[in-house]
Amino acid sequence: MRRAAALRRVRSAVRASAAFAAVALVVAGCSGGAADDAAAPHDGSPSAAARKVPAPSGRTPEGTVLVADFGADTVTFVDPARGAFDSVRVGTAPYGLAVGGDGRAWVATAEGVAVVDTAERKRIARIPYQTRGLGAPAYGEYRGGGMGIALAPDGRHAYVGVNRPGGNGTVEAIDTRSLKVTGVAEVGRRPFDVDVARDGREVYATDHDSFDVTVVTPDSLRTRRIEVAPYGTEGGLGSWLKPHYTAVRPSDGKLLLPFEGERLAVVDPETGRTRIERMTADTHQHGVTITGDGTLFAVGTGPIDPSRDKGPSLTVRTPQGREKVIPLDGPHEDVAVSADGRTAFVTGGFTRDGYWNGISVVDVDSGTVRRLAAGDRPLGIAIL
């Protein structure tokens, strides 16, 4: 019965995607092509939210939350108890970010990868992309430039997925000491997420619009494609049923990609084989993260079909596959989890319409949620 219902839903989603293609191409972050409602340019000053609480004196406290303001050109620093307190200008429409053990944040913007000293709260560099055909720096989901970004385990390289509008993207490798791009690998369309194997020997670009993960070997920049399409690829760019974000499982290095709160694709990057496990949230899913013990956190953005699907949520999935689904108020995009695993921070920026300027703070044990105003359409998130 479950399989039959899922197949009916796939057909319904594909038909809806085709029937409303004109609308989907404008507003659907999970279909493809045209720009969404671009945010207004930002003057680089701290957002209204960031001015609400006083900044701490001295260096940035440990445990501060950092978000990338996709609707502006800043990253915002957030006290998890009091709210946003400072912003640093990094470049147009920052998307993903990663923070190294040295406290430097690497931020994928439309203009290049910004490097931020998070302790002193200042930008120290911005590294231009080598990928051609990106267009002028712009706002909106389909703008050219950086999307997902990750650091090698030894911290010596950063890897950024670069969207080339209308075509395949790239992964650019950056030497974190020289602050220069050392190589470019061709990947699939719109690399929403970039992850690195635990041993640093492979980089994984999650290519939203080509239904795949591209495996990049850092030393040679050779690539191979793994299709990840548990619902098939019918509908092409207009399909909602595409991969978004990936988590690398600590225990065995397999890749975990949630789809629709129904299916978890477990991909073996060595063989390219995919096993499907059942999920229970029944909602369109985007951002993921995983803790050291293998607990997976997956952000549900809301329904594709409101008559059938459930609303926004956060799924907390144990290594054994048991799930707790915590409802959220309104769309969200990405998630980070405290070191003790007890608190999740979920950004409200969202890649489609309906975003809001803040983060939800989730008590994982009780399921209680509180909101903090923070930044401008925050997407990427990390805990310092």
Side-chain angles (χ1 to χ4, degrees), residues 242-254:
K242 295 181 284 193
H244 295 86
Y245 296 80
T246 298
V248 180
R249 189 158 62 187
S251 60
D252 58 8
K254 288 186 170 59

Side-chain angles (χ1 to χ4, degrees), residues 63-68 80 97-99 245 287-291 295-299 314-316 328 332-348 359-364 379-384:
T64 295
V65 176
L66 183 67
V67 296
L97 58 84
V99 178
Y245 296 80
V288 297
T289 193
I290 197 165
T291 58
T295 301
L296 180 71
F297 291 75
V299 179
L314 178 67
T315 292
V316 183
L328 298 175
H332 293 70
E333 182 68 23
D334 208 354
V335 58
V337 180
S338 61
D340 61 10
R342 298 177 62 182
T343 307
F345 301 90
V346 194
T347 55
I359 59 177
S360 286
V361 183
V362 181
D363 184 295
V364 175
L379 289 189
I381 184 169
I383 301 173
L384 305 180

Side-chain angles (χ1 to χ4, degrees), residues 176-196:
T176 57
R177 293 164 292 184
S178 69
L179 303 182
K180 294 182 179 179
V181 174
T182 58
V184 180
E186 295 287 328
V187 299
R189 296 176 70 104
R190 283 213 293 161
F192 256 55
D193 195 18
V194 173
D195 298 272
V196 183

